[in-house]
Structures are given as structure tokens and as C-alpha cells.
Amino acid sequence: MRTLRITTAVISALGVIGLSACGAADTGKKDEVGGDKTVRLTVPSWVGAQANTAVAGYILKKELGYTVKTQQMGEVLAWDALSKGDIDAIMEDWGHPKEEKQYVTTKKTVVKAGDLGVTGHIGWYVPKYYADKNPDVLDAKNLNKYAKDFKTAESGDKGEILEGSPDYVTNDDAIIKNLKLDLKTNYSGSEAAQITAIKKYAKEKKPFLTYWWTPQWLNAQVDMVEVKLPEYKEGCDADPKKVACAYPNTPLQKFLNADFAKDGGEAAEFLKNFKWTTEQQNEVALMIAGEKMSPEAAAEKWVNANESTWKAWLPKK
């Protein structure tokens, strides 16, 4: 669960994948201008999800002849846009039970499109170099003892927990209050800004506590260890104000606009079939964020090297 999520520098490069399309199948969503087959995908504000969109968009364009348009938006806004048909697919959702009930169960304007193949997990993390010196920091019940080490100008007399975008799914303020922790959330504004702060702390070997998640390409560069929160049990996060437990492991899901799922032809079938591993997602994400490749260039490189994987996603003739 991560209403992980609207400003980010790393996403802005994505823009529009595919400006023209030619002929594959006769079925598919029609663009309002020119009648070309067009698929509209949302781009969330974290690079792992950008990797999904880049690879899916590249294959839709090059193999299936679609125009692919992308739009960056927050997760809750994306659900509303998906319901209205302003976008056709969400390729990575970290769990939005309220929106799922509203749009999938009640209105039936959105349908499930299957697992992405990646399991996400949110938690609180400290750098390993700090945990090695202070091993009991890895239990949340001891965090008040170390709160002073996490103080910043923004957190005042409390310890800081570094956050990403205010749009991300997070229970952190409730957890802090209900566990009576001397901590204060500080939102950096985006994944990119949060990564910049983490890298700076790590370079200077300073202590920090951060809301973080897996999979994430930065985990291969900065060694962080999860702090143990009270065990997650089904329903412990049902009341947002009373949450005092860890985050669950979340198999990440795809969703399609209901009309697109029915009438979207090969594009809809392909997006339902799209399923890859954490390692594959991280490979593309690292090319985009770590190696500064354009999303389309990263997608092209991955597609060229992994034909046996993505060929299985194509609609059966």
C-alpha cells in the first residue's frame, strides 16, 4: 500500500512514447484526432512504475502499431481518470481499497488486469552503517532513544522521518501518534528529492530514518535496514487514524478502464499479459534513474535483450 506519490524530476523526461502508429489490428481504442489507435497510460511519480510504462509503451508502439500517450498524475487522481476513460490503464497499483470498492465493485467502470509480478513493501529504514553501531534501533519500541540522532532543522525538537511525496500511501503520522514516538514526518516532495537527501546522508555517513520501499533501484547503492514495526495483521490498518502496525507485503496490481478492457483489442490483451519480475523492473529503473538513459532508450535496450520474456505477452494470433 503506497498512496506512494506528484512532483519529480526523473519522471518529466518520459513525455509521450510514440507519436505515430501504423497498422497492426483493426481493433483498439480510437484517438480523437486522426483516428489512430491510441493507448493512454498514467505515469506515477516513482521510477519503478515509470519502467513499466516505458517498456509497455515501447512494445505497444513497435510491435503492435499503437500510439501511446502518457500522463503523470497522482495515484488517486489516476483512479478517477481511469474510471472516466481519460486514461486506459494503471500499470502499478500499491493498494487503494477505497477506490477499488468505488470503481471496480460499485461503479464497475474499472476492472482488474492481473498481477504485475512484483511484490512491494513499505517500511521504515535506517542506513546499515548506523544500525551496525546501534542494533537495537531496528525495533520501533527503541526509536525514542535515538530520536535525537534524527533531528533536522525541519523536525525541531523531534526526530525526523524522511518522506517522499505527500501523494504516497502512508500511515506514518498515525503510527507515530499511536506508538507515542518522538518523531515528525518531513515530506521532501518527490521520490527524486528523497533519493537526493538519502544519498547526501549516506555520503556523509549521517544517521537518518526514512519511509522507504522495495523494489527500488537505489537499494543496490545505499544499504538500508528495515526497522521492525508492530506486526502487520489483516485489518490493523482498516482505520487510518488508529494504525499502529507495519505495512503489508503487497502484490502490485494492474487495472484497466472497463470499456478499454472490453474493446481495446490487442492493446488490452497485451497489458493484461504484461508480467515481469522485481529484478527486471529494477534493471530498467536503474538505466533510467542511475544511468540517466531516456525511458524509451532504456525500454529499447531491455526489449532487445529480453525477447523471450516479452514475446509471451503478445496477443495470440
Side-chain angles (χ1 to χ4, degrees), residues 32 35 170 188:
E32 294 177 0
T170 173
S188 59

Side-chain angles (χ1 to χ4, degrees), residues 25 30 49 66 107 124 177 195 199 207 211 224 267 287:
K30 299 297 181 182
Y66 284 83
K107 291 188 173 182
W124 292 3
K177 179 180 179 181
I195 288 172
K199 282 185 170 182
Y211 165 104
M224 292 182 276
M287 282 190 266

Side-chain angles (χ1 to χ4, degrees), residues 260-276:
F260 174 77
K262 180 182 177 182
D263 303 323
E266 289 189 330
E269 186 177 348
F270 166 74
L271 293 176
K272 291 175 186 177
N273 293 341
F274 186 107
K275 186 174 184 178
W276 61 352

Side-chain angles (χ1 to χ4, degrees), residues 94 115-121 214-215 248-252 276-278 281:
W94 283 67
D115 289 350
L116 176 64
V118 177
T119 296
H121 177 68
T214 62
N249 292 322
T250 305
L252 306 183
W276 61 352
T277 66
T278 296
Q281 186 191 76

Side-chain angles (χ1 to χ4, degrees), residues 218-282:
L218 186 67
N219 296 334
Q221 298 183 3
V222 178
D223 198 353
M224 292 182 276
V225 188
E226 187 173 4
V227 174
K228 182 181 177 183
L229 291 166
E231 182 182 1
Y232 176 84
K233 295 181 180 179
E234 189 70 31
C236 71
D237 54 357
D239 186 338
K241 295 181 179 179
K242 296 181 179 179
V243 180
C245 60
Y247 293 86
N249 292 322
T250 305
L252 306 183
Q253 302 295 308
K254 300 169 295 175
F255 292 89
L256 303 181
N257 170 270
D259 289 338
F260 174 77
K262 180 182 177 182
D263 303 323
E266 289 189 330
E269 186 177 348
F270 166 74
L271 293 176
K272 291 175 186 177
N273 293 341
F274 186 107
K275 186 174 184 178
W276 61 352
T277 66
T278 296
E279 292 73 24
Q280 289 166 333
Q281 186 191 76
N282 277 341

Side-chain angles (χ1 to χ4, degrees), residues 41-317:
L41 303 175
T42 179
V43 184
S45 65
W46 62 98
V47 74
Q50 185 184 8
N52 306 325
T53 305
V55 170
Y58 184 85
I59 296 171
L60 282 166
K61 174 186 174 183
K62 296 295 183 179
E63 296 294 322
L64 298 175
Y66 284 83
T67 295
V68 179
K69 295 186 176 181
T70 62
Q71 183 175 354
Q72 184 188 334
M73 60 181 68
E75 290 176 280
V76 175
L77 289 176
W79 272 89
D80 184 59
L82 188 65
S83 174
K84 293 176 180 177
D86 294 337
I87 59 172
D88 298 313
I90 293 174
M91 295 298 294
E92 180 175 313
D93 183 79
W94 283 67
H96 289 79
K98 178 182 176 182
E99 284 72 26
E100 192 170 337
K101 181 179 180 181
Q102 179 181 358
Y103 297 120
V104 177
T105 305
T106 304
K107 291 188 173 182
K108 302 185 186 305
T109 52
V110 174
V111 298
K112 296 179 179 180
D115 289 350
L116 176 64
V118 177
T119 296
H121 177 68
I122 300 165
W124 292 3
Y125 289 80
V126 295
K128 186 175 184 299
Y129 55 78
Y130 182 76
D132 287 344
K133 294 180 179 179
N134 306 281
D136 60 338
V137 76
L138 296 180
D139 191 323
K141 67 184 181 183
N142 299 319
L143 282 175
N144 284 346
K145 174 181 174 182
Y146 296 99
K148 63 182 185 303
D149 291 346
F150 305 130
K151 287 183 181 179
T152 66
E154 289 76 17
S155 66
D157 61 351
K158 297 183 180 294
E160 176 183 281
I161 177 165
L162 179 66
E163 305 278 342
S165 168
D167 189 46
Y168 290 177
V169 176
T170 173
N171 299 322
D172 287 359
D173 286 318
I175 293 171
I176 289 169
K177 179 180 179 181
N178 295 323
L179 295 183
K180 297 179 171 58
L181 299 175
D182 294 329
L183 300 173
K184 182 180 180 182
T185 55
N186 177 34
Y187 289 87
S188 59
S190 68
E191 181 191 52
Q194 189 177 10
I195 288 172
T196 297
I198 289 172
K199 282 185 170 182
K200 184 175 186 296
Y201 285 134
K203 183 178 181 180
E204 298 172 358
K205 296 293 183 184
K206 288 185 176 180
F208 64 88
L209 174 66
T210 187
Y211 165 104
W212 198 239
W213 59 93
T214 62
Q216 221 292 339
W217 62 270
L218 186 67
N219 296 334
Q221 298 183 3
V222 178
D223 198 353
M224 292 182 276
V225 188
E226 187 173 4
V227 174
K228 182 181 177 183
L229 291 166
E231 182 182 1
Y232 176 84
K233 295 181 180 179
E234 189 70 31
C236 71
D237 54 357
D239 186 338
K241 295 181 179 179
K242 296 181 179 179
V243 180
C245 60
Y247 293 86
N249 292 322
T250 305
L252 306 183
Q253 302 295 308
K254 300 169 295 175
F255 292 89
L256 303 181
N257 170 270
D259 289 338
F260 174 77
K262 180 182 177 182
D263 303 323
E266 289 189 330
E269 186 177 348
F270 166 74
L271 293 176
K272 291 175 186 177
N273 293 341
F274 186 107
K275 186 174 184 178
W276 61 352
T277 66
T278 296
E279 292 73 24
Q280 289 166 333
Q281 186 191 76
N282 277 341
E283 184 180 351
V284 179
L286 182 59
M287 282 190 266
I288 296 170
E291 300 175 22
K292 308 302 180 186
M293 293 177 65
S294 71
E296 187 162 9
E300 180 179 13
K301 182 176 180 180
W302 187 88
V303 166
N304 288 341
N306 293 273
E307 183 173 338
S308 62
T309 298
W310 60 262
K311 281 282 188 181
W313 305 338
L314 297 179
K316 297 295 187 288
K317 299 293 186 182

